Structure formats: C-alpha cells, structure tokens
Amino acid sequence: MNPFESDDLRLSPIIEDDAELIPLLSTEDEEQMNSEKFPDSLPILPLRNTVLFPGVVIPITVGRDKSINLIKDAYKGDKTIGVVAQKNDKTEDPTGEELNQIGTIAFILKMFRMPDGNTTVIIQGKRRFELKEITQTEPYLKAKIGEFKEAIPEKGDKEFDALVSSLKDIAQQIIKGSPHIPSEASFAMKNIDSPSFLINFISSNANIPVTEKQKLLEVPNLKERATLLLTHLTKELQMLELKNQIQSKVKVDIDKQQREYFLHQQIKTIQEELGGNSFEQQVEELKKKAKDKKWNKEVAELFEKEIKKLERINPNAAEYSVQTNYLETLVDLPWNEYTLDVYDLKKAQKILDKDHYGMEKIKERILEHLAVLKLKNNMKAPILCLVGPPGVGKTSLGKSIASALGRKYVRVSLGGLKDEAEVRGHRRTYIGAMPGRVLKGVMKAKSSNPVFMLDEIDKVGNDYHGDPSSALLEVLDPEQNSAFHDNFIEVDYDLSKVMFIATANTLSTIQPALRDRMEIIEMTGYSVEEKIEIAKRYLVPKQFEENGIKKRIAISDKVLEKIIENYTRESGVRELEKKIAKAARSIAKNIAMNKKISSSITEENLVTILGPAHPKEHYQDAGVPGVVIGLAWTPVGGDILFIETSLSAGKGKLTLTGNLGDVMKESATLALEFLKGHSDTLGITPEAFANKNIHIHVPEGATPKDGPSAGIAMLTALASAFTGKKVKKFLAMTGEITLRGRVLPVGGIKEKILAAKRADIKEIILCEENRKDIEEINKDFLKGLTFHYVTNMMDVLSIALPQKKVFAN
C-alpha cells in the first residue's frame, strides 16, 4: 500500500492527529449515501495520479487555476463535485476525451491553505457516475452525468463472503509485513462492516498503478471487482514475501559491498518474476534475429549448435562473452543479402563525370563493367587496382563507383598492416577475438555486394605475425573468394559479389602473386589545364563553403595557373587544395575583421596571401659539355634530373655520386662501356679513357634515386664530356640502354612529360615503343613539345649533340 497521491504537485499525507476527520462508513451510512438524489450535472475536477472510490476520504492538493476556481465555488455552494482521473497525468489542461468515462461524486469535507501557498481539500467519495457530455470548459469543466449501475451480491452469498474474508486476511498480512504501512491501517480495516466499502477502501490504498485502480472503479459487478482486487493483492503479497526472504539472508549491519549484492539479488528476483533475466533476454534476441537471416542450411545448423552451447555456459564464465560475441557476429553478417545494381549507364556516366574531371579510361572501364553486368547479370566482380601518385582521386573514385552502381560503399585502409589476423580474423578461442577487416567491412555495409575499397595496398607490411598480403590472395581471387574462410566465424562466406577496388602509389612493393590477381588501371597525374578545371569545378567551391565564405569571389585561370606552377610540385591536387584553402582562410579573416577586400584574388595579392613562390623547376643552360637533363618518375609524380659529368686527369676511374641505387649505377657502367666500344665512331681516342678519371653526379644528393630510365641521359652526358660537344638546348630524354646500344621503353611517361613541360623543355627524346604512350595523352597537353623517337643510342647522340666542339678531348 502507498500514501495517497495528490492531484497536482505533491503528496499529501494524512496527519495522525487529524484521524477524527476521516470517518469510517457503516452499512447504514452507505445505504443513506446511495439513496441521495443523483444530480444531472456536476463541475468536474480532473485528478492526475489517483482514483477516488465511493466512501473513501482522501486529501488532495490542487495547484491548477481551473481546479482552484472549481474548489472555491463548490465550497461556497453545496460542496458536491465530480472527480475523474486523467488518462495521461502529464496533460496540463485535459479535455473530455482525455478523461476516463467513469468517475466518483465527491463531497468536500474541509478546505484549507497550506504553508507553501497551495490549497488542500479533504474529499469523500459518494457514488460512481458515468461522464456523458462536457457542457462547460471555462472557468472549469462542467458535464452532464449519468448513473453507473452496480451489481451487488445478495446477502448470504458464501462465495462473496469468502472473497471479502480473503481480502481482509491478505490486506492484514501486507500491513503486517510492510514496514512502510502504519499499524493503524489494520485497526481501521477491522472497524469496516460494509463489504463494498471495504473493497473500495483496500482498492484506494493498494500499491497498484492508477490505470489498474481505474479498472477496478469501472467494474460494475462487486463480486468481479473483489476477485480482481484479490489478484492484485496476492501479487503484492508474493512480492513482499520475496523481499522479506532476501532481507532475511542479509545481515542487519551491512557494509557497502553487501548492500550492492543485496540490490543485485533484488533485481535478479524481480527479473525472474517478470519472465527472465537479461542473459535469457539476450539469447531470445539472438534467436529472433536468426529467424530473419537468409543463411544456408550449414550456417543455420551451426547457429543452432552454438546457441545451445551458450545456454549451457555460466554467464559469469569468461567463455560466455566469447560465445556471445561469436553469435552476434553470425547474426550481424548480411548472409545472402544484396542491394540491387543500377544498370542505367547514362546516369552512371553523369555521376562519374560530375564527381571526377578527366580519367576517361577509368570511366570507360567502369561503364564496361556495368554493361557486362546488365547483359549477363552473373559476372564475377572484377578486382580493380588503381595505381597512381597521391592526390589524383583514387580513393574518392570508389565512392563514385558505388554511387553509379547503386551499391553500399565501405573503405578499409591497409597502410602499415602487419598482422595476418587483421585480414582473416582471430580464432575465437581467444578472449577479445574478432573477425577480420574484410568481414567487418561487409558487416558495416550491411550488404554482401558492396563496393569495397582496399586503400594503400602497396603499403602492406609483414613480420613474425604473418604476411597480410598473402592472406589477401584468397580475398582478391574471383575463383576462391566465393568460399572465403575467416578464422573467427569458421564457416565459408561468399565474397564473389563484392566489388573490390584496391589503390596503390606504386606496383613495385606489391607481391607478384597479389598483383597478378588484380586488373591494373594506371591513373596518371594531371596536367596544368586539368588542374585548373578541377580547381574551378570542385576545390574552390568546396573550400569557400568549408571556410564560411558566402560571397562570390572570382579566381581567374591565370591566378590558378600561377598557384599550380609556383606554389605546388605534385601530380595530384592535394597540395593545390591546401593552397586554395589558405587563400580562402585569408579572405574569411578579412571578412570577419570587417576589412575591405577585393572581389577577386589577383596575381598581385597572391604573394601577400600565400607568401613567396617556390623556385620553379625550369630549364638551365649549363654552358659546358657533360650536362644532360633526364626525366624521372617518382611516387609523387614526374621530375627532371640534371646528369652532370666531369673529366679530370687520372687513370680511368669511374666515380658515381648523388645517392644512386644499384640499377642506376649499372646504367652508368653500361653507358661507359658502350662509349668505349664505339669510340672510333664518335671520334674519341682510346687514350682519353685511360688518362681521364670520370665523375658522374646527380644533384639533390639527399634524395635516393634508382631505376634504368636515366640510361640514355648518362650515355649522352658521357659522350658530351668526351667529345667536348654541348648538349642541345631545351632538350630532355628518358630511356633504358643495353650494352649493344639499343634504347628500351620506360614507364611513367605522362608524369615525365608533365614535368618536362613545367620546366619549359621544348624537345624530348623517347624510345620508339613509347610512342603509344604519347598518343594516349590529350593533344592539348602536348602543345609546344617536340618528340624524337629513337631505337638506338647513335640516334640519341645525333639528336642531342651538335657537330661543333667546344674544346678538344
């Protein structure tokens, strides 16, 4: 049982000294009360959190303006009002629809003001009524009411008498067993001789929700009402006995630890009474999720086996969390759940063109894939590998592909990955075990056919934990990944519908077997013209928006070109975006400080915003023989190299400096040997090789350099030094040489060409087999360049060295 609850603000306990104000009804009083004239209409007082029963006296505190006005008017009149419980106790101004239909006619016994300013009234219930129609809403509710017919058992009904007796006994036990109910309540009950009032009195004070009390009020048959009340009291008594049993097991003088244990025991007992503890609920949730899974028979049998095992494990055992984690992974994986591919090629092309400028070959390859899927609808997903310098849009292209296909997108960075378990997962016998990154990515996508981006695949490492690149062989093989085995789930998972896209800066560090499983797509660097378009379409609007610049600020093509050429040295556009962001921040600062700013960024204020320009890589005429410009490829794009050769008196010693790799050193040795073998043709005396020490240097000695592409440049530099002929102005070259003097093709042609153009080179010597690479480059990017295609070193020397000698060798 609980204290009486107020209408509006707080509890109003009955003061023991005022007990004489609360009369107990006799049978005669009840008969007289029922014989009183039934009114047609009454002012209605809504109660928030209590229900008034006939005959019962309760105090209530009123705080709402309408309620106060009603009480004052009624107290001045016949002191009779209608009391109805609200359906929602949070409603401040309830209407007729928000009130229950059955209420109680009440008589105001006393009204007085409390010290805190609130009005408190003591009311006594008279008879039940049915709310018919609201006739008035201001200044308080008023309604038409009708009689509520009650069915009272006849005298001598033994079943009813037994019910009443049981109610008395259980109520006495609750009073006796609960430390919160005063003993006077037992005395009050013994003095009630009216069965209906006894039922009302117990209903009013029972520790049950207001909604249940309202249901009791609405039961017309007194016997049924008594039966329902007996059910509630029995539950309350059982709960009280459980509490007392728990309390009897705990010491009276308990410390903090004992108190926490006691509370946990109480919660556990309550949970068991409510239908199960949290562990049982967790098992039920797993079973519920499993019903909706589309897994095959093998996985379904595995789940049933493992869920039964979980039910046998003690929840406090360490193995329980491992088993739970395993089952949650099984039900979270999207078994045979796929998104529908979109085969609208025109829409896909628009998405790709909108998100990325250029990249025609890559876009064409993606559209080919979509076309094959549309026609065949069962093509195994290809493994694409986008290779190119940083900042050219390899990673962001994955999102565009996913958008074009209508698939989910997930990205995993493999940079620095050294543990094989990161790919295949840990065995679940370990505490803290989890699936590998591949299956975690599929779980994150919630689809078995996402676009899966494997970023920085060339930076996968290996150590004593295993070789992750070898573990990726199974993932990236279309013939094997239909039955991918993860150590954690221990059952095959189909990855054949996943579209894997890998990115890398270079192929040299990728394991050959792994490289063989991927379709390599070269992504070359951008030309100045392409960078200007990318900046105008994407970078400038993006940075202005991110820096809060709403005003339209114009940046001309010339300004962008100056930023690209004088402030960046890259194949991509990442550094360019940083410079544009810096310019945007400068403009934002001026706007925030209310400074006057021009409507555009000009070449004149560029130095003020970005600082002094970097020295541009441009052609420099050495003025002496033995200096040649070579073209090199680096992971960050193309570059020019100055190959310097000098001769001094000595005994034919060859010295190489400039932090050169083994391949580059071999190229220098080959060039010297070829020169010795063809000295007669070139007009060089044999004594020149015997009496001269040779020193070859490649500037920027702190930067490691390697590769065969500087072979023809080294031979030309040596020939220039020994013949005394200066190399042709504004000329650069790249190509590998053989001992027989053949010129072999090299890679990275577009990056090298862009580097040459940045350096104001006019002519370039290439291997004949590299002609196809030049033809693939947009003709607009090749303006101002002349290409010489050669097959042997004599062709190179005839182009590079003029006939006139500067000095004799």
Side-chain angles (χ1 to χ4, degrees), residues 341-501:
D341 287 335
V342 178
Y343 299 128
D344 190 342
L345 301 187
K346 291 182 179 179
K347 180 182 177 183
Q349 188 165 17
K350 286 181 181 179
I351 291 172
L352 293 172
D353 290 338
K354 178 185 175 184
D355 294 346
H356 293 84
Y357 179 76
M359 300 185 184
E360 303 304 330
K361 276 193 170 185
I362 297 141
K363 293 175 184 176
E364 184 181 350
R365 174 65 188 87
I366 295 164
L367 291 174
E368 288 172 357
H369 169 68
L370 282 174
V372 174
L373 273 177
K374 184 175 183 179
L375 297 176
K376 199 174 180 183
N377 202 27
N378 64 349
M379 175 184 171
K380 289 185 177 179
I383 314 298
L384 304 179
C385 183
L386 307 177
V387 181
V392 296
K394 299 185 297 298
T395 304
S396 62
L397 189 64
K399 290 184 180 178
S400 299
I401 294 173
S403 178
L405 282 166
R407 292 189 178 190
K408 299 291 183 66
Y409 172 78
V410 62
R411 173 185 166 273
V412 171
S413 178
L414 301 178
L417 194 70
K418 291 184 177 181
D419 191 351
E420 175 260 346
E422 290 285 337
V423 178
R424 278 212 186 100
H426 306 81
R427 297 197 179 279
R428 63 188 177 102
T429 50
Y430 302 108
I431 294 176
M434 62 182 72
R437 292 196 185 189
V438 176
L439 285 193
K440 282 199 285 188
V442 173
M443 287 167 58
K444 182 180 177 182
K446 297 180 181 178
S447 165
S448 289
N449 65 335
V451 172
F452 202 117
M453 178 68 75
L454 297 168
D455 220 1
E456 311 291 357
I457 200 169
D458 58 325
K459 297 175 180 63
V460 175
N462 62 75
D463 60 6
Y464 62 92
H465 288 111
D467 184 4
S469 61
S470 298
L472 285 169
L473 295 177
E474 183 185 4
V475 177
L476 300 182
D477 191 338
E479 299 298 328
Q480 297 180 33
N481 62 13
S482 59
F484 174 67
H485 182 82
D486 188 280
N487 293 329
F488 183 76
I489 65 170
E490 297 179 346
V491 65
D492 292 341
Y493 192 88
D494 185 6
L495 295 175
S496 61
K497 301 294 190 300
V498 178
M499 184 175 184
F500 288 102
I501 301 176

Side-chain angles (χ1 to χ4, degrees), residues 89 185 308 334 531 581 591 649:
D89 61 354
K308 289 177 181 177
K531 288 182 180 180
I591 294 173

Side-chain angles (χ1 to χ4, degrees), residues 361-362 385-389 505 507 519-524 633 748 751:
K361 276 193 170 185
I362 297 141
C385 183
L386 307 177
V387 181
N505 296 130
L507 293 174
E519 181 179 338
I520 306 300
I521 298 178
E522 296 281 351
M523 292 185 66
T524 54
W633 178 92
E751 280 80 6

